[in-house]
Amino acid sequence: MTPDTPYALVRQAGDPDRKAVLDVLTEAFMNDPLVCWLFPEANDRGRLQAHFYRPLLAHPAGETYLIGRDEGASVWLALAAGQAPHDEHPDPPETDSVFGEHGTRLRTLGQALAQRHPDHEPHLYLPCMGVVGGRQGSGLGSAMLRHRLARADTDGLAAYLEASSPRSRALYLRHGFEDLGAPVRVADSPPLWPMWRRPRR
């Protein structure tokens, strides 16, 4: 499959697809620098990742997509001006019971990222997009980006994300995103790059 993968291979995921989306994202980010920092114990990382992604899939502003034979997945939030990503789903009281000691890292990182998230205009937010290990670098990520960004351009919507690795940052730069200030780091975490993309006319 080439970077010119047709949009037709991208489909919107529904409730029956939630497990497939969780499986894709969990595998795709199993060795991601940030995920490894958040959940250092490899044996428990997959379970904790699934808990982390579930609220995003249930977000009332969310759009979830799969590509190919469930080889890639993306979650977008269509946010209004002044709306933060977690307005509808603040940290539930059971966060500590689910994530244990890692809950503190999640909250600290979330607070740091919230301070950098622009909210001055309606925009799309891409909290996560991943491709399973054997298909990374095959153009699936680019196809998912082109699929949703084309409609964003038509609608005049900007887009925002935080890249969690140099490789993903390079991908987003190729699709019109630009760095939005310096990278974000908390304690000894790897850097995250806030990125913003103006709609293309």
Side-chain angles (χ1 to χ4, degrees):
M1 193 168 297
T2 71
D4 295 322
T5 303
Y7 298 162
L9 293 177
V10 181
R11 63 184 178 88
Q12 191 153 8
D15 287 342
D17 300 305
R18 286 195 176 187
K19 184 180 184 305
V21 173
L22 288 172
D23 288 346
V24 169
L25 293 176
T26 297
E27 180 182 342
F29 287 98
M30 187 62 70
N31 297 310
D32 178 80
L34 180 68
V35 171
C36 291
W37 177 79
L38 286 169
F39 311 126
E41 295 84 7
N43 290 340
D44 212 23
R45 191 175 299 147
R47 179 184 68 84
L48 294 175
Q49 281 181 265
H51 279 295
F52 177 80
Y53 299 131
R54 278 193 188 98
L56 292 173
L57 272 58
H59 197 290
E63 303 172 11
T64 306
Y65 298 91
L66 286 162
I67 189 169
R69 298 180 179 87
D70 297 348
E71 297 158 303
S74 58
V75 180
W76 298 82
L77 305 182
L79 301 178
Q83 181 183 10
H86 305 296
D87 281 352
E88 302 290 340
H89 289 278
D91 286 342
E94 65 270 17
T95 293
D96 285 336
S97 64
V98 171
F99 294 107
E101 62 184 303
H102 309 309
T104 300
R105 287 187 172 190
L106 281 168
R107 278 191 296 272
T108 302
L109 181 62
Q111 290 165 2
L113 293 175
Q115 293 174 8
R116 297 286 297 278
H117 194 129
D119 64 356
H120 56 283
E121 63 180 277
H123 64 280
L124 288 175
Y125 173 45
L126 179 64
C128 53
M129 180 184 76
V131 175
V132 296
R135 301 294 285 139
Q136 292 175 4
S138 65
L140 295 174
S142 288
M144 285 189 289
L145 285 171
R146 289 196 305 271
H147 172 266
R148 189 58 184 91
L149 292 175
R151 183 151 52 96
D153 289 342
T154 299
D155 296 339
L157 274 180
Y160 173 75
L161 56 83
E162 300 108 0
S164 62
S165 71
R167 179 176 179 174
S168 63
R169 175 176 172 267
L171 170 67
Y172 298 131
L173 286 170
R174 292 197 298 272
H175 286 270
F177 285 87
E178 299 177 351
D179 290 327
L180 190 64
V184 172
R185 299 186 78 148
V186 296
D188 60 344
S189 77
L192 281 91
W193 289 267
M195 305 185 77
W196 182 256
R197 181 186 183 273
R198 300 300 315 172
R200 295 177 175 175
R201 304 297 181 183

